[in-house]
Each structure stands twice: as C-alpha cells, then as structure tokens.
Amino acid sequence: MPAHFSTTDPIAPLSPVILPPVTKNAEDPDRQQPPALPPLDRCNVWEVPFDRVTMSEAIDRIDLLVERGEPSYAITANLNYVMLHHRESDIPPITAAADLILADGQPIVWRSQLGPDALPERVAGSEMIHKLACRAGQKRWGIYFLGGEPGVAEKCAKRLARDYPGMRIAGIESPPFRALSADEQAAQDKRIRDSGAQILLVAFGQPKGERWIHQHYKRLGVPVSIQLGASFDFIAGTARRAPRIWQKLGAEWTYRMFSDPKRLVPRYGRNAWFLLQALVDDWKQTVKRWGMSLDD
C-alpha cells in the first residue's frame, strides 16, 4: 500500500521518495530455512523475563530477525506491562512468545541490579524508534505505521523518512478505535502483507497493542512487529517527552502523568501501588534468605 500524504500538512514538501519494497522469492525451491538465532542472556525481574541487551544490541538483534524473515515480535515492557503480566492471565503467554523482551522502565533496570544478572540499560521505545528508522535507512527496509489518532502516524512516518533517508514508508494507517469487521480485518491484513514491510510499528496502547500483535503477527508475515505506545505522538509533536534530567532520575512517568492527568493519574497510581507491593515482597524474600522469620 503506497503511503499517501495530506496536502495541508506543513511538512508535505519534505515528503520522501518511496522506494520499492525489497522482496525475497518465497517460492524458490533452493531457499533454505533460516538457522535459529543464538539465544540471548535473560534475567527475571519480578517474574518477567528480560533480554540483557543495550540499545545498539537490541537494534542488531532486530536486524537479525529481519534477515531471518520469519514473523516475530518484540516487546518494550515498562512497569505497567510488568503489572499487567501479573494481573492479566493472557499476558504471560504473549511475553513467552516474544523473540525480544526489552526493559523500557528505569525501575526495572534498578531492580535487576540487585541480582547477579543486571540489565545493562533501559531500552526506551521512544528512542528505539529513531534507531530503527536509522537502520531502516541504511538497509532500505520498509516500515508500516499502524495506529494513533488520525494524522499522527502520517506525521510520524514523514518526519522519520525525512530524517533518515532511505527508509521506505511501506504504509500508514490509523484504523478506527473499535473492533474491525471480518471484511475490514481481511482488507487490513492484505494491505500489510502486500506492503513488503520489514517492520510493523503498532501504536494501539498497552496492552491492546501487544494483544493485537500476538493475535495477528503470524498471519501478517512481517518479520518484526513492535508496539511502541506514545512514540508516534512524540515524533509527530502531539505529545512531549520528559526532559533528559527527568529520564535519568527515572521520573519520566511523573512528567507524563502531569501532562495528561485525567488519563494517566489512575494508571500510574496502580503502577505505584504494584511497585510498593513488589518491593515489600522483595524485602520479605530477602529476610527469608537470611534465615529469619517475619513472625519473630
């Protein structure tokens, strides 16, 4: 599906050249099954597995997944995702089937440092989208942008293609905020399959995006799918990331909460309560390892 751009968009004159998709002949009888990728080191934080990779290592891994060509998906898991992993019964199977699980939350990284296999750093989806676009420009990958408010995905895609020449816009779509009919879903599936995209970026919110990807990724056939939450809005300019100092202090959630209190205060309140309970459980387990009884 070729990307289409609005003539009223102020950055329309910077629209990139849309390169043809890079395709492989799936019917080639000599085509061999790609070898399995070597496993990554993982650690468990609050019973959720995370791959111990830096940002650059995560992008290299996605590169290998694209080269492999088999449908897969990555998860950028923040504290809210960890909470959902504990409270929603369908989330652990989604986590288990992911080919890459990244720690997109500073509290997760800090907690991992209390164990023997600490995570090297936070891998934020809002930064990773730029790294992916850069690699896509180098490799001429196609990226399909799915989700967000009307117009947001288009602005995001155009700005990334402007900033990272060579990146191909495989498609742009902002579907309605409702379940699609069978015919609508079939048409969407065809658009994505026919786009020749190497990466499918989904902005449906959490955990809707992860659930949608898990349900559809094998049928769509895109090598790598990723739910990236508010990243479309950050790039399109409809939302602002916290200043760097807030990010370093692990307080980006506070900045975001005050930017949209009606929607985010309840969510972050639940996250804070979960974090408190998790830390109390950590303390109880530590006391038990010391051979002490909490009843003493």
Side-chain angles (χ1 to χ4, degrees):
M1 168 187 172
H4 59 278
F5 305 111
S6 170
T7 57
T8 60
D9 193 314
I11 63 172
L14 297 171
S15 298
V17 174
I18 308 301
L19 300 172
V22 177
T23 58
K24 295 182 179 180
N25 184 6
E27 303 300 326
D28 185 353
D30 297 325
R31 180 175 180 263
Q32 297 180 349
Q33 282 296 106
L37 298 182
L40 295 170
D41 290 335
R42 282 190 170 178
C43 70
N44 285 301
V45 180
W46 293 312
E47 301 178 23
V48 178
F50 289 93
D51 290 305
R52 299 178 62 240
V53 293
T54 63
M55 176 70 76
S56 62
E57 290 168 342
I59 298 301
D60 287 342
R61 186 69 171 192
I62 290 171
D63 198 325
L64 290 175
L65 291 170
V66 170
E67 276 297 310
R68 187 181 66 169
E70 301 297 316
S72 68
Y73 63 90
I75 291 175
T76 57
N78 55 17
L79 186 61
N80 187 63
Y81 187 88
V82 174
M83 180 190 73
L84 294 169
H85 187 95
H86 282 260
R87 297 184 178 179
E88 303 289 338
S89 61
D90 67 319
I91 298 298
I94 294 174
T95 307
D99 284 79
L100 189 61
I101 307 169
L102 305 171
D104 186 1
Q106 198 59 48
I108 298 169
V109 176
W110 286 337
R111 174 59 183 84
S112 76
Q113 293 170 349
L114 299 178
D117 301 314
L119 294 165
E121 64 182 19
R122 177 190 176 194
V123 182
S126 51
E127 296 175 11
M128 187 172 70
I129 190 172
H130 290 277
K131 304 293 185 182
L132 280 174
C134 182
R135 185 64 60 90
Q138 296 166 354
K139 297 293 187 78
R140 295 197 169 189
W141 292 343
I143 300 181
Y144 200 105
F145 297 82
L146 179 67
E149 296 283 349
V152 171
E154 181 178 341
K155 289 182 179 179
C156 173
K158 290 169 66 176
R159 286 176 175 163
L160 287 175
R162 176 195 65 190
D163 293 342
Y164 304 101
M167 188 201 90
R168 183 175 63 86
I169 299 175
I172 301 170
E173 188 171 345
S174 295
F177 290 95
R178 59 169 173 79
L180 300 183
S181 68
D183 288 344
E184 289 173 329
Q185 187 61 64
Q188 184 184 77
D189 291 355
K190 187 176 188 304
R191 287 192 295 271
I192 295 174
R193 283 197 302 267
D194 292 349
S195 72
Q198 281 74 41
I199 304 285
L200 172 63
L201 298 183
V202 177
F204 286 169
Q206 193 178 78
K208 181 181 177 181
E210 288 84 357
R211 285 171 168 152
W212 188 92
I213 289 172
H214 183 254
Q215 179 182 359
H216 297 283
Y217 81 105
K218 288 185 179 179
R219 187 175 70 251
L220 297 175
V222 178
V224 181
S225 299
I226 313 172
Q227 150 70 22
L228 284 181
S231 297
F232 286 15
D233 290 287
F234 292 145
I235 294 172
T238 52
R240 291 182 59 187
R241 279 202 75 189
R244 183 68 61 177
I245 184 64
W246 290 67
Q247 298 175 38
K248 290 183 177 180
L249 293 173
E252 187 171 7
W253 64 274
T254 309
Y255 183 91
R256 288 198 62 206
M257 181 176 67
F258 286 120
S259 70
D260 189 0
K262 184 176 180 180
R263 182 174 68 91
L264 293 179
V265 165
R267 166 177 160 173
Y268 286 129
R270 292 190 295 270
N271 291 170
W273 179 242
F274 169 80
L275 179 60
L276 177 62
Q277 291 177 309
L279 292 174
V280 169
D281 288 342
D282 287 343
W283 175 75
K284 289 179 179 179
Q285 294 300 321
T286 300
V287 170
K288 289 181 180 179
R289 286 196 297 270
W290 288 345
M292 300 171 62
S293 172
L294 295 172
D295 298 325
D296 294 342

